[in-house]
Amino acid sequence: MEPSPIVLDTEKAIQSKPHFNFWQIWNMCFGFFGIQFGWSLQMNNMSAIYEYLGATAEQIPGLWLAAPMTGLIVQPIIGYLSDRTWHPTWGRRRPYFLIGAILSSIALFFMPNASAIWMAAGTLWVLDSCINVSMEPFRAFVADNLNERQRPFGYAMQSMFIGAAAFIAGFLPGLLVNWFGISREKAGGGIPQNIMWSFYIGGIMFFFAVLYTVLRSREYPPADPNWRQQLNAQHGSGVSGAIKEITASIMNMPAQMKRLALVQFLTWPGLFLMWFYYTTGVARDIFKGDPATSNELYTRGIEHANATSSILNLVTFLFSLTLSFWVAKLGKKMTHTFCLILGGVGLFCVKYISEPSMLYVAMSMVGIAWASILSMPYSMLAGHLPENKIGIYMGIFNFFIVLPEIIASLFFGKIMENFLHNDRLLAVQIGGSLLIIAGIICAFIVKEKKYDDLL
């Protein structure tokens, strides 16, 4: 049976949802602070942790495979389940926030105690699965509660918290050394003590930030008492129904989602190459450190790279506050285009930098792009999705983030070894080029009309 056309009555959709004030939206989004705190510790330090445990440059992409694989599997399933969940006290999305936060916090405590590469990779797999349980419903949570006019601000608020959390998380290992006297010396498992304590603090922050949103925000019950039966009527329930609905949703994606998917598919490999190689590239190529022979220089390089990543996220935090202004002046599409190109230029320039302080400038440019990447695609997409399937479509949209990472994880190690000669900053430069290409394509194919036809 062909799915019914998606029809949006914009004014009705706006009027049917209440107008939230600043602090209500703050409470709704604050949990993302904790999620990003844990995520940033992982992104900033996992390549270094693998190298501390003896991994080589060509092994790094494969060891990151856990993150996209879990996202590819977990997010659409959690989206499907949360679309069909309702509890009079805990609501629709919040039970998943809380379960994911508890499990993620436990995994963050285990991660820095890994004593072998396989242990770190296995723990990363568990950690990413748990983070995805919390993260996926947050995107749908904003779309559920906010009307079309307030959604851009809601997603910008999420970007603000993401930037603030990542800023603090990036500086944390260095602050623990300089302010609290925690040693950079390796602990029994081979991981420096300041990085271990950063993960412990991250576990605590993750749990309590998500708990704040769970307790301080609310969700609204479905207006139709037969909503679950209607959802199940088309594809059924249970495992077979879930598979059918996920498959049907993929096959019948709204046109705007397909256009944004191509932009995402080019954007995220650029970011993954930065996360794979920026930190260790700075430590090796700019600070001339080596984890085997000059551990002090290498660790200082890691800390400086994390500090510049923190500035990236401080800029993300600050620029997110201005996104509404730029959208009003340029529109969503051109705002996203210019941000992607600017960030790509910043990454492209990293390889030519010899003075470490100039990395702050390059990463600030990436921070502007990151603010847009975290909000504009979701803002451009949300109004094109059927209200009763926002969770599952947000999970499917994640495919176009994780599929390029899977490709990079499986194949980029060989490219590093055979073509790039393990030049980590050259890989970062390739990532910058991909962001520039994504920005150009966004300008040409994404529809700017706010409520254009979805078919």
Side-chain angles (χ1 to χ4, degrees):
M1 180 182 296
E2 291 295 321
S4 300
I6 301 169
V7 179
L8 295 181
D9 184 338
T10 301
E11 290 304 317
K12 182 178 179 181
I14 291 172
Q15 294 169 6
S16 65
K17 295 182 179 181
H19 184 88
F20 288 86
N21 63 37
F22 176 89
W23 292 110
Q24 288 172 315
I25 298 176
W26 171 287
N27 293 342
M28 192 184 302
C29 297
F30 186 76
F32 234 113
F33 179 89
I35 292 174
Q36 187 61 35
F37 203 99
W39 191 266
S40 294
L41 287 172
Q42 169 189 310
M43 289 297 180
N44 291 343
N45 295 289
M46 279 310 303
S47 289
I49 286 174
Y50 285 139
E51 292 204 6
Y52 281 125
L53 296 174
T56 60
E58 60 269 18
Q59 291 177 314
I60 295 297
L63 291 169
W64 276 91
L65 189 59
M69 288 297 293
T70 53
L72 187 68
I73 297 168
V74 171
Q75 291 217 16
I77 293 173
I78 294 298
Y80 171 86
L81 292 174
S82 64
D83 282 343
R84 283 160 172 72
T85 296
W86 178 257
H87 188 277
T89 301
W90 300 106
R92 171 174 285 114
R93 316 292 180 185
R94 289 179 296 158
Y96 299 91
F97 300 167
L98 188 57
I99 293 169
I102 294 170
L103 298 175
S104 297
S105 298
I106 294 170
L108 284 165
F109 272 82
F110 276 98
M111 174 60 76
N113 290 289
S115 57
I117 295 173
W118 69 267
M119 291 177 63
T123 306
L124 179 63
W125 201 296
V126 174
L127 175 60
D128 274 319
S129 297
C130 300
I131 289 177
N132 276 296
V133 172
S134 281
M135 182 180 290
E136 194 284 331
F138 257 101
R139 298 295 188 190
F141 189 52
V142 168
D144 286 343
N145 287 343
L146 300 182
N147 62 47
E148 185 64 26
R149 288 174 181 160
Q150 286 199 294
R151 282 172 179 166
F153 182 72
Y155 286 117
M157 179 76 78
Q158 283 192 354
S159 296
M160 184 192 75
F161 280 125
I162 289 169
F167 172 72
I168 298 170
F171 273 115
L172 187 57
L175 292 178
L176 291 176
V177 173
N178 298 324
W179 290 13
F180 299 99
I182 294 177
S183 174
R184 292 189 180 97
E185 294 298 318
K186 294 181 180 179
I191 311 300
Q193 294 177 44
N194 61 328
I195 293 179
M196 291 182 67
W197 278 98
S198 297
F199 274 79
Y200 298 156
I201 293 169
I204 295 169
M205 293 293 293
F206 195 123
F207 174 74
F208 282 103
V210 172
L211 183 64
Y212 178 89
T213 285
V214 170
L215 297 178
R216 298 286 296 173
S217 59
R218 59 171 296 186
E219 297 179 78
Y220 297 91
D224 185 351
N226 298 316
W227 62 276
R228 187 178 282 108
Q229 290 85 342
Q230 291 185 6
L231 279 175
N232 291 335
Q234 191 169 14
H235 300 292
S237 58
V239 175
S240 63
I243 294 172
K244 289 178 182 177
E245 179 158 345
I246 292 171
T247 303
S249 298
I250 293 170
M251 298 300 294
N252 295 284
M253 288 187 295
Q256 178 79 332
M257 185 171 174
K258 295 176 183 177
R259 293 186 282 264
L260 287 167
L262 179 58
V263 176
Q264 293 286 82
F265 196 84
L266 290 167
T267 298
W268 283 86
L271 297 173
F272 294 135
L273 291 177
M274 177 184 71
W275 290 324
F276 287 168
Y277 292 117
Y278 172 73
T279 301
T280 55
V282 168
R284 287 177 177 271
D285 296 352
I286 297 178
F287 279 77
K288 310 302 180 185
D290 187 283
T293 60
S294 52
N295 183 62
E296 179 72 14
L297 284 174
Y298 185 81
T299 302
R300 288 184 181 277
I302 295 295
E303 290 175 5
H304 185 79
N306 283 345
T308 60
S309 295
S310 289
I311 293 301
L312 178 161
N313 289 293
L314 177 61
V315 171
T316 297
F317 169 78
L318 296 173
F319 189 74
S320 295
L321 301 176
T322 73
L323 271 173
S324 297
F325 169 81
W326 294 112
V327 168
K329 293 293 184 182
L330 303 175
K332 295 177 185 179
K333 179 178 74 171
M334 294 312 299
T335 296
H336 195 48
T337 292
F338 287 129
C339 289
L340 286 175
I341 292 173
L342 187 63
V345 171
L347 281 183
F348 192 87
C349 292
V350 167
K351 184 168 173 59
Y352 302 114
I353 290 174
S354 57
E355 170 54 48
S357 62
M358 290 301 297
L359 292 170
Y360 288 108
V361 178
M363 289 297 103
S364 294
M365 296 167 70
V366 181
I368 291 172
W370 187 224
S372 184
I373 291 165
L374 292 169
S375 57
M376 286 297 100
Y378 301 98
S379 180
M380 288 186 281
L381 174 66
H384 295 262
L385 302 179
E387 290 286 329
N388 63 347
K389 293 187 177 182
I390 288 176
I392 192 170
Y393 272 116
M394 286 293 182
I396 292 169
F397 194 52
N398 188 61
F399 285 1
F400 305 102
I401 297 174
V402 300
L403 284 174
E405 187 180 2
I406 291 172
I407 294 169
S409 297
L410 290 175
F411 300 110
F412 204 81
K414 290 297 181 183
I415 295 173
M416 279 291 289
E417 182 179 10
N418 297 321
F419 299 101
L420 304 185
H421 308 294
N422 288 332
D423 188 330
R424 292 161 176 80
L425 293 187
L426 180 55
V428 172
Q429 192 173 56
I430 292 172
S433 301
L434 290 171
L435 259 66
I436 293 170
I437 294 169
I440 294 170
I441 289 177
C442 179
F444 282 99
I445 72 168
V446 174
K447 296 294 186 181
E448 175 63 23
K449 186 179 177 182
K450 193 170 185 181
Y451 304 116
D452 58 332
D453 190 0
L454 298 181
L455 299 178

